[in-house]
Amino acid sequence: MKQNLLFVNPPIYDFTAYDFWLKPYGLLKIAGAFSSQNLYYFNFLGENYKKSVKRDGRGKFFKKKAEKPKIFSDIKKPYFRYGAPKEEFEDFLKSIKEIDAVLITSSMTYWYLGVKEAAESARKIHPKAKIILGGIYPTLMPESAEQLDVDFVVKGSDIQPLREFLGVENSFLIPKWEFENKSKFGVITISKGCPFSCSYCAIKQIEKDFSFKEREILKREIESLNNEKIKNVAFYDDALLFQFNNGLGKFLELAEDKAFSYHTPNGLNAKFMTKETAVKLKKANFENLFLSLESADETFLEKSGGKLQREDFLNALENLLSAGFSKDSITSYILLGHPEIEEESVKESILFLKRAGIKPHLAEFSPIPNTRDSEKCSKYADLKEPLNHNKVAFSIRVLGLEKYQQIKSFAREIFK
Ligand code: SF4
């Protein structure tokens, strides 16, 4: 007999949140893998719950002021809940007669209050349903996740434990984009893991090894996006340009006739932006390019993993410009709030980008337990509590509110 499975992407509780091509990619893949069952889907951050949307799909979520957890009493900033109202989810739950399992995903560890809220609603309305929690939060913080009122916690990306728990067979992990057919964008990865090892990054805890996806899987994912007429595609890969000819190059050939526009929210490693690669990206219609710089401080770049140097960044820029990209289409990430990046160094990075004519995107640093940098970070916050991984709170704790705000206004002033 078919099971009734409900897939849920929970709301966000945070100081700030923006739909920067956010989709519950893992959850949609699991839904695709269990397509033979009766499926239901509720995305708190779906298209109905955005107050504005750009042409490429990015946009602002509806938000409401939320009670700030006591742990943030030192952070003098308002706290919000983003996404669909709780009542709407509960009405949706009531509209389904019987549910066998509610599968809730999660991304940032410090967004777990949204997971908790969704699980509580599901438990209240469907007390007999099994509640299953998966995604990044339980993978990185299993002890915390197990304290929530859920029946099964999925750690990591292996589908087998989930299949055994549900007692149903799965097919390919191809995202069920039918659930997001109102969306202007979809997301994809062509690989798993990352070949690098940055000192502050949790990727190895999520996916130990790096590998490219099989050609057959990519073809099916492309078809699944295309069937829903999704035109904007954002890559979630962590090393999108690595071994271009074996990876992205092959993908672009497979998707050549689909007229997708591509976006790279995860930041491209400038080291791999050769002249040839830049030309291929332009030809394939890459629109928004986010280049990783993290910091113009070469000592930090070296210490944190040596994935690139300033010189690599400038070469990449030259290659992109000569391939026909405009400076306006390129943005570069600068890390803010890492314990080893001084305020002056962030400002220097901003000025470096100004000289290069490229906009900065200040990315606040979020500390993750069990990384090489976590010990340095523990001085500022107890990392056993996931809320303390909050990027805004942590950056303010490292820099102080005044310096934090000064850096932000410095960037605004320089680029106005
Ligand atoms: S390149 Fe990105 S994903 Fe890879 S280890 Fe560094 S920060 Fe993590």
Side-chain angles (χ1 to χ4, degrees), residues 193-198 200-204 238-239 266 269 294 307:
C194 178
F196 300 100
S197 182
C198 298
Y200 45 82
C201 181
I203 187 73
K204 297 281 187 275
D238 291 305
N266 270 7
N269 187 332
E294 327 297 12
K307 72 175 173 181

Side-chain angles (χ1 to χ4, degrees), residues 171-375:
S171 59
F172 291 108
L173 283 154
I174 306 300
K176 198 152 181 68
W177 288 112
E178 292 101 296
F179 284 151
E180 290 285 348
N181 58 8
K182 281 192 191 161
S183 177
K184 286 191 174 172
F185 71 96
V187 303
I188 198 165
T189 60
I190 59 161
S191 62
K192 294 179 195 165
C194 178
F196 300 100
S197 182
C198 298
S199 56
Y200 45 82
C201 181
I203 187 73
K204 297 281 187 275
Q205 297 174 54
I206 298 166
E207 199 70 61
K208 215 163 139 246
D209 301 312
F210 175 80
S211 61
F212 288 115
K213 280 185 181 169
E214 287 165 28
R215 184 184 162 88
E216 193 49 38
I217 297 288
L218 290 178
K219 273 169 80 176
R220 287 175 188 242
E221 289 209 33
I222 291 168
E223 281 316 316
S224 162
L225 287 162
N226 196 49
N227 289 345
E228 300 309 318
K229 303 194 172 29
I230 290 172
K231 285 293 164 213
N232 288 286
V233 176
F235 288 100
Y236 275 6
D237 294 83
D238 291 305
L240 186 64
L241 301 183
F242 183 69
Q243 295 184 351
F244 185 90
N245 292 336
N246 295 330
L248 185 59
K250 285 197 173 146
F251 170 86
L252 293 177
E253 279 168 25
L254 289 176
E256 205 172 10
D257 59 343
K258 298 294 186 281
F260 291 140
S261 294
Y262 296 112
H263 310 278
T264 63
N266 270 7
L268 298 171
N269 187 332
K271 216 174 205 164
F272 300 116
M273 191 63 79
T274 61
K275 272 196 174 64
E276 297 72 31
T277 298
V279 168
K280 285 181 181 163
L281 298 193
K282 185 68 192 161
K283 191 167 162 245
N285 204 19
F286 275 67
E287 278 193 10
N288 302 95
L289 292 179
F290 287 81
L291 279 185
S292 290
L293 175 64
E294 327 297 12
S295 171
D297 178 343
E298 302 231 319
T299 318
F300 174 78
L301 289 174
E302 198 49 57
K303 255 171 99 177
S304 63
K307 72 175 173 181
L308 89 155
Q309 292 293 319
R310 273 186 197 218
E311 199 55 29
D312 300 318
F313 183 86
L314 293 173
N315 286 339
L317 194 54
E318 199 183 311
N319 293 339
L320 287 168
L321 297 178
S322 65
F325 283 97
S326 69
K327 286 190 173 178
D328 279 349
S329 64
I330 306 169
T331 306
S332 178
Y333 288 119
I334 291 183
L335 207 51
L336 169 77
H338 184 284
E340 290 193 329
I341 305 180
E342 301 288 333
E343 175 199 6
E344 281 315 309
S345 161
V346 181
K347 288 185 176 168
E348 174 47 35
S349 304
I350 295 169
L351 290 171
F352 172 78
L353 288 181
K354 174 72 181 173
R355 288 191 292 274
I358 298 300
K359 297 182 295 287
H361 180 107
L362 295 177
E364 287 103 339
F365 172 72
S366 163
I368 308 286
N370 306 317
T371 58
R372 296 207 300 284
D373 284 359
S374 55
E375 209 180 300

